[in-house]
Amino acid sequence: MDIITPGPKVLILGHSFISRLTQALAYDPKLSPDFNLAQCSVSCYGIRGGTVDRLQNNEDINAHIQHFQPSVIILQIGGNDLCDPGLKPETLACKIVDLMFDFQLHYSFVNKLVVCELFTRTQPWYITAEQYENKRSIVIIRCYPSCTRLYIVCKYCEEAVSPLILSHQDAS
């Protein structure tokens, strides 16, 4: 559900967490689909079991982005990818960066891209919690800094300590 107000448009895009958030916003009257943000329009789009590859090659997402035309895209991605025992964290980081550059290349109206920190998981699929955490740490510590204009959005967006914001305009 999209709430259109004057000002920038923000798309929150990601895996099943965002899908569940979208459902909660649509059906729980206590929650506000626009997060009570009067200064911007917000749209959430999540894919259950979403991986970076599934998000990058998804025609429905492309159509949604083209229709909504956000100036900011916030990505909550990568957690499902980390559960793949054969995927190296360095490869995942490259895929995330490639997705961001692809978005900037194909959507000229997008001014900022934000990648949220990978969530921790106590019971990941196909690997142990320790393996997941080791891979997650590698992506955060080693791989994100390979980008320019880098910041990593901390858990729950409480503070910015080094999240990944890539922008073809000044990110100030």
Side-chain angles (χ1 to χ4, degrees), residues 1-23:
M1 171 185 284
D2 302 339
I3 303 294
I4 306 298
T5 59
K9 295 179 182 178
V10 178
L11 172 62
I12 303 171
L13 179 63
H15 49 60
S16 57
F17 178 84
I18 304 304
S19 178
R20 288 189 299 275
L21 174 64
T22 303
Q23 288 178 330

Side-chain angles (χ1 to χ4, degrees), residues 52-109:
V52 175
D53 289 340
R54 284 188 64 201
L55 293 173
Q56 190 162 21
N57 301 316
N58 188 296
E59 291 183 24
D60 290 335
I61 289 175
N62 178 52
H64 185 77
I65 293 172
Q66 291 290 355
H67 173 74
F68 187 64
Q69 296 205 345
S71 57
V72 178
I73 297 179
I74 299 172
L75 298 168
Q76 179 60 57
I77 58 175
N80 292 330
D81 299 87
L82 284 181
C83 292
D84 178 349
L87 183 65
K88 293 182 179 182
E90 295 85 358
T91 302
L92 173 57
C94 290
K95 286 182 176 201
I96 291 171
V97 171
D98 287 348
L99 176 66
M100 294 178 73
F101 283 121
D102 189 50
F103 278 4
Q104 286 201 313
L105 179 66
H106 291 98
Y107 308 117
S108 60
F109 44 83

Side-chain angles (χ1 to χ4, degrees), residues 7-8 19 28 31 38 41 56-57 60 62 68 71 78 93 117 128 132 137 157 162 167:
S19 178
D28 189 336
L31 301 176
S41 301
Q56 190 162 21
N57 301 316
D60 290 335
N62 178 52
F68 187 64
S71 57
E117 181 179 330
T128 67
Y132 181 92
S137 296
C157 300
S162 158
S167 174

